[in-house]
Amino acid sequence: AAPAAATTAAAAPAAPGAPVFAVVYPGGAVSGPATVAQGPDGPGGILSFTTDAAPEAVIAFYRQRAEAAGLASVMAMNQGEARAYGAAAEDGSGKLLRVVATPVENGPTSVQLDWTAGG
């Protein structure tokens, strides 16, 4: 298991005002600004970035952050080398996190993060 410091480490928000669970993986290289929008369950967005970390490490990081923020794991999927994870609030607030981490042959892991901050 990762040390507890990994979950509390200062990580850059995925976008200005993004919830605590929607952050850029430490050391991640963002390809451009997040696409953000206002939805029925509050503001949300999508962010793509790359990291040298393995998909399993990326998913573990987001699972810890989501659970620390009170979200419950609702989906986990392994397809080949790719990993996907989803978490949602159980309190009806609409908070949601989805992460897909896909290894690129001879390259970094490609990550797509999307979230809803809740109403």
Side-chain angles (χ1 to χ4, degrees):
T7 59
T8 56
V20 66
F21 54 84
V23 296
V24 178
Y25 186 85
V30 177
S31 53
T35 301
V36 294
Q38 179 71 34
D41 289 321
I46 299 172
L47 180 68
S48 297
F49 61 91
T50 59
T51 177
D52 290 333
E56 293 84 0
V58 174
I59 297 303
F61 172 82
Y62 286 103
R63 179 180 291 122
Q64 289 175 338
R65 288 205 72 110
E67 291 173 354
L71 276 62
S73 299
V74 294
M75 184 274 293
M77 183 188 77
N78 298 346
Q79 185 168 356
E81 300 281 316
R83 302 288 180 261
Y85 171 74
E90 296 181 300
D91 60 6
S93 66
K95 292 178 184 172
L96 181 67
L97 170 71
R98 283 188 299 260
V99 183
V100 179
T102 308
V104 176
E105 191 171 348
N106 300 319
T109 298
S110 174
V111 181
Q112 181 171 311
L113 169 69
D114 66 277
W115 73 92
T116 301

